[in-house]
Amino acid sequence: MKKGRNSNIELLRILCMITIIIHHSFVHSGISISIENTNTLILSIIQILGKTANNIFILTTGYYMINKKINKEKIIKLIGEILFYSYSILFVYLVFCKEKEIGIIIKSILPITFNAEWFVTSYILLYITIPFINALINNLTKKEMSVLIIIFIVCFSILPTINLLSEYFSNYIWFILLYLVGAYTKLYENKEFSKYSKCFIVVSSIAIICVITSIACFNMRRLGLLEINSFLVFILAYSIFMDFINKKEYSNSIINYVASSSLGIYLIHDNVIIRAFMWKKLKIGSLIKTKFFWLYEIEVVVGIFIICLLIDIIRRELIEEKIIKSIRKNSV
């Protein structure tokens, strides 16, 4: 009997998607940090978990894919999902929107090439090079791989955190590093780090809270302390990832099924057309100073998650499954 995916990791992916929606509610609603408003401080702290979540998604990719092969079916599913949502939403936009922007139309027609969603473009670049990355990893000793990861962390995380070598950073290179770390964890377990994962979560979280508070209170220059490749954000992401890895493994079909829609939820709610329209209509920023803000924020985040999940389930069951069955039938 085929063993299902570890639901600890799948549950983590669901939680990550929720925090990414919270992150987008902050950045796309034009909310700025203010010491005079506790809500903005708390929300800005929570939304950092969105950047942390992006890192965790790639860590899990490395963890899962190091021992697997990229076949035609997987590539078709991934690219098909991206193009389906981009073209479907573009169609609705062209039919119902009176004022149209040529830039948005072009990005929707070529979403990967024109970087309509930065995560998707970088993920595709990573995905198509996984066979070559795996070949490299399989030809490295544990010591050689450790040295390579340390070099990457110093050059693309530690130094950019203090604004050194930041001009050499790219999301694609960062994703390669995260993939290497996730793969290393799968191959060698990294038990020494596991012992202190909870401690690292606490320490890195406190450091991030201090940074955000300092920015609000003293208008402190941010440097690279809160970027996706910040060493603080990286340590927090890896510590959370390791904490879930170390929990007792189990498999829950519902959790795993919902987690399979994570990318779909991302593609819908952060589509270049949807995000320009949705966050403007929701007007989260206008309620940031009210006592009802957190109730509204929860309603918005949960609502977006559930609606996008239902849409993606319909796509998977009615469209994707038929296409995959046809591909398998023709491959026989």
Side-chain angles (χ1 to χ4, degrees):
M1 185 175 177
K2 188 178 179 181
K3 186 179 179 181
R5 281 192 168 193
N6 182 355
S7 293
N8 285 320
I9 304 176
E10 297 304 289
L11 176 60
L12 178 59
R13 292 174 67 201
I14 293 171
L15 295 174
C16 283
M17 184 47 58
I18 291 171
T19 60
I20 286 173
I21 297 173
I22 295 172
H23 171 78
H24 289 152
S25 77
F26 181 89
V27 298
H28 294 318
S29 296
I31 298 170
S32 56
I33 308 172
S34 172
I35 192 61
E36 297 174 359
N37 190 334
T38 307
N39 285 344
T40 64
L41 276 175
I42 297 172
L43 184 59
S44 63
I45 291 168
I46 296 173
Q47 66 89 23
I48 288 297
L49 291 174
K51 295 181 180 181
T52 306
N54 284 317
N55 287 339
I56 291 173
F57 272 120
I58 307 304
L59 288 168
T60 59
T61 301
Y63 188 85
Y64 277 136
M65 297 303 298
I66 181 55
N67 294 322
K68 294 184 180 179
K69 292 183 179 180
I70 302 293
N71 56 34
K72 180 175 70 174
E73 183 179 308
K74 289 180 180 177
I75 294 174
I76 290 173
K77 282 179 70 174
L78 178 60
I79 295 178
E81 184 175 357
I82 293 167
L83 295 181
F84 173 81
Y85 283 121
S86 189
Y87 293 165
S88 297
I89 295 170
L90 175 62
F91 175 77
V92 174
Y93 175 75
L94 292 174
V95 172
F96 294 102
C97 187
K98 294 180 180 179
E99 297 180 4
K100 302 173 180 63
E101 295 183 27
I102 187 65
I104 287 179
I105 295 172
I106 292 173
K107 281 187 175 183
S108 297
I109 294 173
L110 298 169
I112 299 170
T113 307
F114 282 91
N115 199 23
E117 291 91 29
W118 71 268
F119 180 89
V120 173
T121 299
S122 300
Y123 187 71
I124 285 289
L125 291 174
L126 173 71
Y127 205 80
I128 61 178
T129 52
I130 283 176
F132 307 101
I133 299 172
N134 285 352
L136 170 65
I137 292 171
N138 290 327
N139 282 282
L140 293 175
T141 64
K142 180 180 179 181
K143 183 178 180 181
E144 289 170 337
M145 192 172 176
S146 299
V147 172
L148 178 62
I149 288 172
I150 290 170
I151 292 171
F152 266 58
I153 289 174
V154 171
C155 293
F156 301 112
S157 182
I158 294 176
L159 292 178
T161 300
I162 54 175
N163 269 17
L164 295 175
L165 292 183
S166 55
E167 64 270 25
Y168 297 104
F169 170 80
S170 77
N171 289 312
Y172 173 56
I173 292 175
W174 181 244
F175 279 14
I176 291 176
L177 166 59
L178 294 171
Y179 185 93
L180 290 173
V181 174
Y184 182 93
T185 304
K186 180 70 172 181
L187 294 173
Y188 305 113
E189 295 187 14
N190 207 2
K191 291 180 180 179
E192 289 303 312
F193 191 96
S194 301
K195 296 177 183 177
Y196 307 104
S197 59
K198 284 185 171 61
C199 178
F200 282 124
I201 290 173
V202 173
V203 172
S204 54
S205 297
I206 291 173
I208 288 171
I209 290 170
C210 290
V211 169
I212 292 174
T213 305
S214 298
I215 292 171
C217 293
F218 310 112
N219 196 24
M220 188 187 79
R221 190 160 157 261
R222 287 181 58 171
L223 300 176
L225 292 168
L226 299 179
E227 300 303 325
I228 191 171
N229 63 319
S230 158
F231 191 63
L232 292 177
V233 176
F234 168 71
I235 288 296
L236 179 59
Y238 189 61
S239 301
I240 294 172
F241 173 69
M242 289 300 294
D243 189 54
F244 274 77
I245 289 290
N246 292 326
K247 295 181 186 298
K248 185 178 179 181
E249 188 172 336
Y250 72 103
S251 183
N252 181 289
S253 59
I254 296 176
I255 290 175
N256 294 359
Y257 186 79
V258 172
S260 297
S261 284
S262 295
L263 180 61
I265 294 169
Y266 186 101
L267 290 170
I268 298 168
H269 93 273
D270 203 42
N271 174 272
V272 64
I273 295 171
I274 296 293
R275 68 170 177 250
F277 169 80
M278 181 175 68
W279 297 113
K280 191 181 294 183
K281 290 292 183 181
L282 290 173
K283 297 179 180 179
I284 289 177
S286 64
L287 297 173
I288 193 73
K289 294 182 179 180
T290 69
K291 61 182 179 180
F292 303 108
F293 170 74
W294 288 109
L295 178 60
Y296 183 63
E297 173 75 7
I298 292 170
E299 288 176 351
V300 166
V301 171
V302 173
I304 290 172
F305 183 89
I306 292 175
I307 291 170
C308 293
L309 171 63
L310 293 176
I311 292 172
D312 193 61
I313 288 174
I314 293 170
R315 178 197 64 83
R316 286 164 57 191
E317 296 296 333
L318 297 184
I319 300 173
E320 185 177 85
E321 282 299 317
K322 290 182 179 180
I323 293 173
I324 295 303
K325 284 180 181 178
S326 176
I327 293 172
R328 289 172 181 169
K329 185 177 179 180
N330 293 329
S331 298
V332 175

